[in-house]
Amino acid sequence: MPTAVFRRLCLATGLCAVATLASAETWPSADWATAIAPASPAVAALETYAFAPRDDESRKGVRTDALLVIRDGQVIYERYAGPTTARTPHLAWSMSKSLLAATLGVAYGEGRFKLSDSVAQYYPAFAAHPQIKLGHLFNWASGLDWQEDYELAPLKSSVVAMLYTRGRSDMPAFVASHQGEAAPGTRFRYSSGDTNVLSAALHGMLGDAAYANYPWTALFEPLGISSATWETDASGNFVASSYAYLIARDLARVGLLMQRDGRWGERQLLPKAWVEFNRTPFAAYQPIAGEAVPGGQWWLNLPVAGAAKPWPDAPAETFAALGHWGQALYVLPAEKLVIVRYADDRDHSYQHNALLQLALAAFAPEVAQ
């Protein structure tokens, strides 16, 4: 095409500007590009909070194992502590739920299910609960009688029984044995059981052979993730509630995928509508002060029903994958930030808002310019 014609086409359509923007984006290949932020009082304040003197005997206080910050597709900060290194796959705990949501997002884009489908359509063991839809499970709104307590009430805890005692051989079947307590879709109750039933539904969609490799073929391999391990129960279902392991840099790839609305390079790996669903608050949620707002197996910072933002010093668009003992993957779209935190917090000293406030002071784009 002659240069003059090409320029006129650019001016007429704006497509050249889009192409230039896309080509300027930084994406990790085998490894991440780095542009480490210089030392500053703001970075020092962040480290003072995140990496306080570590008490491994009492396990009290803020106990960060890894802190990794990505800005605009580049590593700008990275530090490890305790037994964790850059090559240590760390237990994600309930961040695994958001990894399952991303995996199911690929299946959604392939046309394998609709949110309005009955769970029992894909997981026949759920036939006693015909009114529960897949969308209800994504919002932790199955209505099943479930108790998610851990250390505080282990003898009454549904999740402890599922993971460690009578439910551990077939976790989705254990969840299916619970009675309904509320109409599906009318009440939020956080439930690792809901997530593990989603895992079983994916199993039913795919069959044994494809399911065993699907998180890798659908999500991990396209993102260049090489460190992932995902445990299964004795029946071959991924323990999607709890038991994925990744190095921090690999988890950050999922964050960058979500920060860029499901796009990885030139490929729309997750439908944009799926990411929007992940970031949409559950309609029937009644806010709890200081608690993140449930979306589609992700956690949101949006003010809902007249309540304040859960993390007041972070942008409202901030969303996160969160896990037991302080695990967090924060995504801040407008600031082009992805923050991975692995941890071993045991006494609730750690506060999401505190770390986000300090990280924004140190690394927000306007600070760096």
Side-chain angles (χ1 to χ4, degrees), residues 301-303 309-319 330-332 335 339 352-358 360:
N301 192 38
L302 294 171
K309 292 184 297 182
W311 308 322
D313 294 301
E317 295 78 15
T318 302
F319 63 104
Y330 305 107
V331 182
L332 294 82
E335 292 71 23
I339 303 170
H352 298 292
N353 185 70
L355 185 123
L356 288 166
Q357 180 185 37
L358 291 165
L360 283 164

Side-chain angles (χ1 to χ4, degrees), residues 30-294:
D31 206 349
W32 292 82
T34 59
I36 300 300
S40 69
V43 171
L46 173 65
E47 292 190 322
T48 296
Y49 178 76
F51 293 98
R54 190 179 180 102
D55 184 348
D56 286 326
E57 186 171 337
S58 71
R59 292 182 170 180
K60 292 182 178 178
V62 175
R63 292 163 47 80
T64 302
D65 291 333
L67 187 61
L68 172 68
V69 182
I70 307 295
R71 186 174 63 219
D72 205 13
Q74 299 183 87
V75 174
I76 61 169
Y77 179 86
E78 188 172 24
R79 180 172 167 179
Y80 299 88
T84 304
T85 73
R87 301 308 307 167
T88 305
H90 197 288
L91 178 57
W93 282 114
S94 286
M95 292 192 294
S96 306
K97 296 175 170 70
S98 301
L99 294 177
L100 179 71
T103 305
L104 277 159
V106 179
Y108 180 82
E110 293 170 345
R112 295 182 182 275
F113 71 93
K114 300 186 293 294
L115 292 171
S116 58
D117 290 343
S118 171
V119 176
Q121 177 178 337
Y122 304 102
Y123 181 49
F126 227 57
H129 307 290
Q131 301 306 313
I132 299 180
K133 312 298 185 185
L134 291 173
H136 298 145
L137 297 181
F138 277 102
N139 290 137
W140 298 291
S142 66
L144 294 178
D145 182 11
W146 185 266
Q147 178 155 158
E148 188 72 15
D149 291 323
Y150 294 86
E151 293 89 347
L152 297 180
L155 297 180
K156 298 180 179 180
S157 171
S158 305
V159 68
V160 169
M162 177 183 69
L163 293 176
Y164 303 116
T165 60
R166 62 186 184 275
R168 66 190 179 94
S169 63
D170 190 335
M171 297 187 191
F174 173 76
V175 182
S177 70
H178 285 65
Q179 299 297 311
E181 188 178 61
T186 63
R187 179 198 70 186
F188 164 77
R189 177 171 290 178
Y190 181 63
S191 168
S192 290
D194 283 6
T195 307
N196 283 334
V197 173
L198 281 172
S199 179
L202 179 63
H203 199 162
M205 294 172 202
L206 298 171
D208 290 344
Y211 176 78
N213 296 309
Y214 193 75
W216 286 265
T217 58
L219 183 68
F220 298 148
E221 290 171 6
L223 298 186
I225 291 173
S226 59
S227 68
T229 297
W230 210 331
E231 294 184 19
T232 63
D233 65 14
S235 299
N237 299 298
F238 291 111
V239 187
S241 65
S242 313
Y243 289 155
Y245 301 75
L246 303 89
I247 65 171
R249 286 190 174 206
D250 277 353
L251 183 60
R253 291 171 185 262
V254 179
L256 185 64
L257 174 74
M258 297 296 291
Q259 185 237 301
R260 292 179 173 172
D261 293 326
R263 183 169 53 87
W264 193 259
E266 297 181 356
R267 179 181 179 186
Q268 192 70 39
L269 186 62
L270 305 181
K272 195 169 183 178
W274 183 258
V275 179
E276 291 173 357
F277 163 67
N278 295 151
R279 298 177 57 184
T280 299
F282 171 47
Y285 178 64
Q286 297 299 311
I288 302 171
E291 295 292 327
V293 175

